[in-house]
mmCIF file of all heavy atoms in Angstrom:
data_model
loop_
_atom_site.group_PDB
_atom_site.id
_atom_site.type_symbol
_atom_site.label_atom_id
_atom_site.label_comp_id
_atom_site.label_asym_id
_atom_site.label_seq_id
_atom_site.Cartn_x
_atom_site.Cartn_y
_atom_site.Cartn_z
ATOM 1 N N VAL A 12 46.061 -41.877 -205.338
ATOM 2 C CA VAL A 12 45.963 -40.443 -204.972
ATOM 3 C C VAL A 12 44.625 -39.891 -205.461
ATOM 4 O O VAL A 12 43.955 -39.164 -204.738
ATOM 5 C CB VAL A 12 47.178 -39.635 -205.572
ATOM 6 C CG1 VAL A 12 46.938 -38.167 -205.398
ATOM 7 C CG2 VAL A 12 48.458 -40.080 -204.957
ATOM 8 N N GLN A 13 44.268 -40.187 -206.692
ATOM 9 C CA GLN A 13 43.007 -39.695 -207.234
ATOM 10 C C GLN A 13 41.820 -40.231 -206.454
ATOM 11 O O GLN A 13 40.857 -39.512 -206.139
ATOM 12 C CB GLN A 13 42.875 -40.130 -208.711
ATOM 13 C CG GLN A 13 43.876 -39.413 -209.608
ATOM 14 C CD GLN A 13 43.834 -39.950 -211.038
ATOM 15 O OE1 GLN A 13 43.397 -41.071 -211.273
ATOM 16 N NE2 GLN A 13 44.276 -39.156 -211.994
ATOM 17 N N LEU A 14 41.864 -41.534 -206.055
ATOM 18 C CA LEU A 14 40.809 -42.061 -205.281
ATOM 19 C C LEU A 14 40.673 -41.444 -203.921
ATOM 20 O O LEU A 14 39.593 -41.164 -203.429
ATOM 21 C CB LEU A 14 41.034 -43.598 -205.124
ATOM 22 C CG LEU A 14 39.954 -44.380 -204.317
ATOM 23 C CD1 LEU A 14 38.601 -44.280 -205.016
ATOM 24 C CD2 LEU A 14 40.374 -45.864 -204.187
ATOM 25 N N ALA A 15 41.849 -41.168 -203.286
ATOM 26 C CA ALA A 15 41.829 -40.565 -201.983
ATOM 27 C C ALA A 15 41.242 -39.146 -202.056
ATOM 28 O O ALA A 15 40.454 -38.749 -201.189
ATOM 29 C CB ALA A 15 43.288 -40.523 -201.418
ATOM 30 N N LEU A 16 41.632 -38.407 -203.083
ATOM 31 C CA LEU A 16 41.056 -37.016 -203.242
ATOM 32 C C LEU A 16 39.587 -37.077 -203.471
ATOM 33 O O LEU A 16 38.826 -36.244 -202.946
ATOM 34 C CB LEU A 16 41.784 -36.308 -204.395
ATOM 35 C CG LEU A 16 43.247 -35.927 -204.126
ATOM 36 C CD1 LEU A 16 43.874 -35.338 -205.386
ATOM 37 C CD2 LEU A 16 43.327 -34.908 -202.990
ATOM 38 N N THR A 17 39.137 -38.017 -204.292
ATOM 39 C CA THR A 17 37.696 -38.170 -204.584
ATOM 40 C C THR A 17 36.934 -38.506 -203.311
ATOM 41 O O THR A 17 35.879 -37.901 -203.049
ATOM 42 C CB THR A 17 37.471 -39.272 -205.630
ATOM 43 O OG1 THR A 17 38.185 -38.923 -206.828
ATOM 44 C CG2 THR A 17 35.968 -39.425 -205.951
ATOM 45 N N LEU A 18 37.427 -39.428 -202.514
ATOM 46 C CA LEU A 18 36.757 -39.817 -201.258
ATOM 47 C C LEU A 18 36.785 -38.629 -200.301
ATOM 48 O O LEU A 18 35.802 -38.428 -199.544
ATOM 49 C CB LEU A 18 37.443 -41.016 -200.646
ATOM 50 C CG LEU A 18 37.296 -42.323 -201.444
ATOM 51 C CD1 LEU A 18 38.145 -43.436 -200.778
ATOM 52 C CD2 LEU A 18 35.842 -42.752 -201.528
ATOM 53 N N LEU A 19 37.847 -37.880 -200.275
ATOM 54 C CA LEU A 19 37.968 -36.712 -199.347
ATOM 55 C C LEU A 19 36.893 -35.662 -199.740
ATOM 56 O O LEU A 19 36.252 -35.108 -198.861
ATOM 57 C CB LEU A 19 39.347 -36.124 -199.428
ATOM 58 C CG LEU A 19 39.624 -34.944 -198.482
ATOM 59 C CD1 LEU A 19 39.479 -35.363 -197.027
ATOM 60 C CD2 LEU A 19 41.038 -34.394 -198.740
ATOM 61 N N VAL A 20 36.820 -35.366 -201.019
ATOM 62 C CA VAL A 20 35.819 -34.371 -201.490
ATOM 63 C C VAL A 20 34.405 -34.885 -201.203
ATOM 64 O O VAL A 20 33.533 -34.117 -200.740
ATOM 65 C CB VAL A 20 35.981 -34.071 -203.000
ATOM 66 C CG1 VAL A 20 34.873 -33.199 -203.497
ATOM 67 C CG2 VAL A 20 37.324 -33.400 -203.221
ATOM 68 N N ALA A 21 34.137 -36.186 -201.476
ATOM 69 C CA ALA A 21 32.845 -36.747 -201.231
ATOM 70 C C ALA A 21 32.467 -36.680 -199.741
ATOM 71 O O ALA A 21 31.343 -36.333 -199.388
ATOM 72 C CB ALA A 21 32.777 -38.191 -201.723
ATOM 73 N N ALA A 22 33.438 -36.956 -198.890
ATOM 74 C CA ALA A 22 33.222 -36.876 -197.458
ATOM 75 C C ALA A 22 32.931 -35.445 -197.047
ATOM 76 O O ALA A 22 32.062 -35.194 -196.193
ATOM 77 C CB ALA A 22 34.415 -37.449 -196.695
ATOM 78 N N PHE A 23 33.661 -34.508 -197.623
ATOM 79 C CA PHE A 23 33.480 -33.098 -197.282
ATOM 80 C C PHE A 23 32.060 -32.647 -197.637
ATOM 81 O O PHE A 23 31.470 -31.784 -196.927
ATOM 82 C CB PHE A 23 34.492 -32.241 -198.078
ATOM 83 C CG PHE A 23 34.375 -30.773 -197.854
ATOM 84 C CD1 PHE A 23 34.883 -30.215 -196.678
ATOM 85 C CD2 PHE A 23 33.779 -29.957 -198.769
ATOM 86 C CE1 PHE A 23 34.758 -28.826 -196.448
ATOM 87 C CE2 PHE A 23 33.647 -28.590 -198.546
ATOM 88 C CZ PHE A 23 34.158 -28.030 -197.372
ATOM 89 N N LEU A 24 31.492 -33.168 -198.711
ATOM 90 C CA LEU A 24 30.160 -32.810 -199.129
ATOM 91 C C LEU A 24 29.045 -33.579 -198.428
ATOM 92 O O LEU A 24 28.008 -33.068 -198.134
ATOM 93 C CB LEU A 24 30.007 -32.994 -200.662
ATOM 94 C CG LEU A 24 30.912 -32.114 -201.571
ATOM 95 C CD1 LEU A 24 30.764 -32.553 -203.006
ATOM 96 C CD2 LEU A 24 30.625 -30.643 -201.377
ATOM 97 N N VAL A 25 29.315 -34.869 -198.189
ATOM 98 C CA VAL A 25 28.242 -35.748 -197.684
ATOM 99 C C VAL A 25 28.147 -35.725 -196.180
ATOM 100 O O VAL A 25 27.020 -35.771 -195.607
ATOM 101 C CB VAL A 25 28.484 -37.192 -198.175
ATOM 102 C CG1 VAL A 25 27.500 -38.142 -197.550
ATOM 103 C CG2 VAL A 25 28.364 -37.261 -199.700
ATOM 104 N N VAL A 26 29.274 -35.660 -195.445
ATOM 105 C CA VAL A 26 29.253 -35.732 -193.977
ATOM 106 C C VAL A 26 28.371 -34.663 -193.372
ATOM 107 O O VAL A 26 27.569 -34.993 -192.440
ATOM 108 C CB VAL A 26 30.695 -35.676 -193.439
ATOM 109 C CG1 VAL A 26 30.695 -35.476 -191.931
ATOM 110 C CG2 VAL A 26 31.466 -36.975 -193.778
ATOM 111 N N PRO A 27 28.401 -33.403 -193.780
ATOM 112 C CA PRO A 27 27.511 -32.415 -193.130
ATOM 113 C C PRO A 27 26.042 -32.767 -193.340
ATOM 114 O O PRO A 27 25.222 -32.566 -192.434
ATOM 115 C CB PRO A 27 27.841 -31.125 -193.872
ATOM 116 C CG PRO A 27 29.242 -31.273 -194.332
ATOM 117 C CD PRO A 27 29.352 -32.786 -194.732
ATOM 118 N N VAL A 28 25.707 -33.291 -194.489
ATOM 119 C CA VAL A 28 24.331 -33.706 -194.779
ATOM 120 C C VAL A 28 23.895 -34.856 -193.838
ATOM 121 O O VAL A 28 22.826 -34.834 -193.237
ATOM 122 C CB VAL A 28 24.133 -34.107 -196.229
ATOM 123 C CG1 VAL A 28 22.695 -34.592 -196.471
ATOM 124 C CG2 VAL A 28 24.405 -32.927 -197.133
ATOM 125 N N LEU A 29 24.779 -35.834 -193.696
ATOM 126 C CA LEU A 29 24.484 -36.970 -192.852
ATOM 127 C C LEU A 29 24.364 -36.544 -191.352
ATOM 128 O O LEU A 29 23.496 -37.031 -190.610
ATOM 129 C CB LEU A 29 25.581 -38.034 -192.975
ATOM 130 C CG LEU A 29 25.681 -38.728 -194.331
ATOM 131 C CD1 LEU A 29 26.849 -39.726 -194.335
ATOM 132 C CD2 LEU A 29 24.347 -39.403 -194.687
#
Side-chain angles (χ1 to χ4, degrees):
V12 172
Q13 292 174 337
L14 180 61
L16 288 175
T17 301
L18 293 176
L19 182 63
V20 172
F23 179 78
L24 297 174
V25 173
V26 168
V28 175
L29 295 178

